[in-house]
Amino acid sequence: MALYLDEPDVLALASEALTDGPDDRKIDFLYLDPDGRRVIFAQGYFSSEDRSAAPSNKAADLNTAAAWLFHGEIAEVPTYLRDQVAACREGLHAGELDTIELIYVHNLPESRNVERELETAEAAISASLPDDSGVLVVARELGLGALDKL
C-alpha cells in the first residue's frame, strides 16, 4: 500500500492505516486522505505457496468492509476502528470526498475472478451513494503484475 500511495514512511502509514485485528469487519487497511479528497480501504492476502490466483472471496470481503465503513451501526464497529470510520463517514457526508478506493492487495497473479468480484463491489458501493454525491468509486487489484509496475 505504501508503494501504491507513494508513501515513503512505511511504518508511519502502517501505524495509521493498518487495522487488521479481531472483528475488523473485513477492513484490513483504512486511510483517509483529506488532501487528496479520498478514502482508501483494503483487504489483504498473503500466500506462502505459488498459486495461479488469489482467492476471490477475499475481494468479495470488500463488500462487507464497505457496508460497515459507510452504513454499519457505529456502536458495533470495533473501538480501535471507530474513530477512523466516523471520520470517513463525516468526510463523505460533508462532501469532502471525491473518491472511494477499494483495493485488494496480494502476492499472486491478477485474475478475472477477482476482477469480477471487485467490479461487483464497486457497483454496490456506487449504488449505495446518493445520486448527487459526485463520488467516484474505484476498485483495484494489486497483485504481482501491478506491484511489479509500482
Side-chain angles (χ1 to χ4, degrees):
M1 289 305 298
L3 288 172
Y4 177 74
L5 295 170
D6 196 26
E7 174 57 54
D9 191 341
V10 176
L11 293 178
L13 179 65
S15 69
E16 178 183 345
L18 278 179
T19 61
D20 194 22
D23 200 24
D24 64 13
R25 304 297 189 203
K26 307 296 183 186
I27 303 171
D28 290 347
F29 179 93
L30 179 58
Y31 182 73
L32 179 61
D33 177 10
D35 295 333
R37 297 182 54 88
R38 65 184 177 163
V39 63
I40 300 126
F41 65 101
Q43 179 64 228
Y45 177 77
F46 179 81
S47 177
S48 57
E49 301 174 19
D50 284 336
R51 298 174 190 224
S52 61
S56 60
N57 67 313
K58 297 291 279 180
D61 284 346
L62 288 166
N63 270 319
T64 302
W68 280 102
L69 181 56
F70 299 114
H71 306 292
E73 177 60 47
I74 196 73
E76 298 297 321
V77 173
T79 316
Y80 65 91
L81 270 177
R82 203 169 290 157
D83 289 344
Q84 287 176 281
V85 168
C88 291
R89 289 180 184 186
E90 289 168 17
L92 182 63
H93 294 300
E96 297 169 351
L97 297 177
D98 295 327
T99 310
I100 296 170
E101 296 181 47
L102 51 149
I103 311 292
Y104 179 28
V105 62
H106 57 79
N107 65 330
L108 295 166
E110 289 86 355
S111 73
R112 181 64 187 129
N113 287 339
V114 167
E115 184 180 357
R116 276 193 293 271
E117 290 292 343
L118 291 174
E119 289 168 352
T120 300
E122 181 181 283
I125 296 166
S126 293
S128 75
L129 297 171
D131 291 335
D132 63 348
S133 73
V135 175
L136 176 66
V137 180
V138 178
R140 292 193 171 87
E141 179 181 13
L142 297 182
L144 286 179
L147 294 173
D148 281 347
K149 289 177 185 175
L150 289 172

